Amino acid sequence: MFRQLTDFYRAWAYESESTIKMFQAIQAGHFKDNPSENFRSMARLSWHITESIAELLHHAGLKEVDGIVDASQEKNDLNKLIAEYQKSSESLVLALKNQWTDEMLGEKVPMYGDHWERGAVLSILIRHQTHHRGQLSVLIRQEGLSVPGMYGPSKEEWLAMGMKPLA
């Protein structure tokens, strides 16, 4: 849980940059909405990550976050996805700077039938995104594409450095 907004801003800068890096690892021909009963497609999962920024913060009362909140009709436009993600990410930071203070982070807000502290909302936003980014990395690798490292080198990055990746 975040107790200071500056801590969130630092964490968010890294996490949002990592998410964009993951999106950029997807080649346009692989960015398709091919629905399955068993998993979300790369396109749907990526759009879910993107729509969750505004959707989650709107629930927390931060209506000023600009971004798509229902991307269920979005399909195969990777450039639009990245632009929408960047817009939402930047809007989130601006809205927080204009609307919330460190003192407000301990206040509870109604969230999905429960009450969460605002600092927890920000923490859950990052964990939610990280969770789905991990799922996306599996789909990217299954398509034979290179997965970028997030918290250390990926297999492909180890190999590019001339080192043997851990098994």
Side-chain angles (χ1 to χ4, degrees):
M1 183 166 105
F2 288 96
R3 301 258 179 235
Q4 294 184 326
L5 287 166
T6 55
D7 292 338
F8 172 77
Y9 300 146
R10 273 193 294 275
W12 185 253
Y14 181 84
E15 295 300 328
S16 63
E17 181 181 308
S18 294
T19 298
I20 291 169
K21 195 162 72 167
M22 188 68 74
F23 290 164
Q24 290 170 335
I26 303 169
Q27 294 173 2
H30 295 270
F31 190 71
K32 298 179 199 137
D33 187 23
N34 47 349
S36 167
E37 288 182 22
N38 298 319
F39 60 89
R40 290 177 175 150
S41 68
M42 270 197 271
R44 185 65 198 115
L45 188 56
S46 299
W47 279 110
H48 175 66
I49 292 168
T50 301
E51 72 189 350
S52 294
I53 298 170
E55 191 273 335
L56 186 76
L57 273 297
H58 287 184
H59 272 283
L62 202 60
K63 306 285 188 207
E64 296 77 14
V65 176
D66 187 21
I68 192 165
V69 293
D70 179 7
S72 60
Q73 300 306 307
E74 298 295 337
K75 299 293 181 198
N76 305 327
D77 190 338
L78 187 55
N79 291 327
K80 182 178 180 185
L81 166 83
I82 292 170
E84 285 289 335
Y85 179 87
Q86 288 174 317
K87 177 176 80 173
S88 292
S89 178
E90 292 167 6
S91 176
L92 164 63
V93 172
L94 184 61
L96 286 171
K97 287 181 178 181
N98 289 331
Q99 301 291 317
W100 287 11
T101 64
D102 290 346
E103 294 73 31
M104 294 170 72
L105 295 180
E107 295 174 1
K108 292 192 175 191
V109 292
M111 294 292 293
Y112 309 110
D114 199 0
H115 288 83
W116 302 353
E117 290 184 12
R118 291 175 194 225
V121 170
L122 299 177
S123 181
I124 289 167
L125 174 66
I126 288 178
R127 288 184 298 202
H128 175 263
Q129 178 174 261
T130 303
H131 162 72
H132 288 307
R133 214 172 47 214
Q135 293 175 320
L136 187 57
S137 72
V138 172
L139 297 177
I140 289 170
R141 180 147 292 133
Q142 286 177 334
E143 288 293 312
L145 304 173
S146 293
V147 174
M150 298 287 117
Y151 304 110
S154 67
K155 175 183 176 182
E156 295 84 0
E157 291 168 338
W158 280 114
L159 291 170
M161 292 186 287
M163 301 177 75
K164 183 179 177 184
L166 297 174

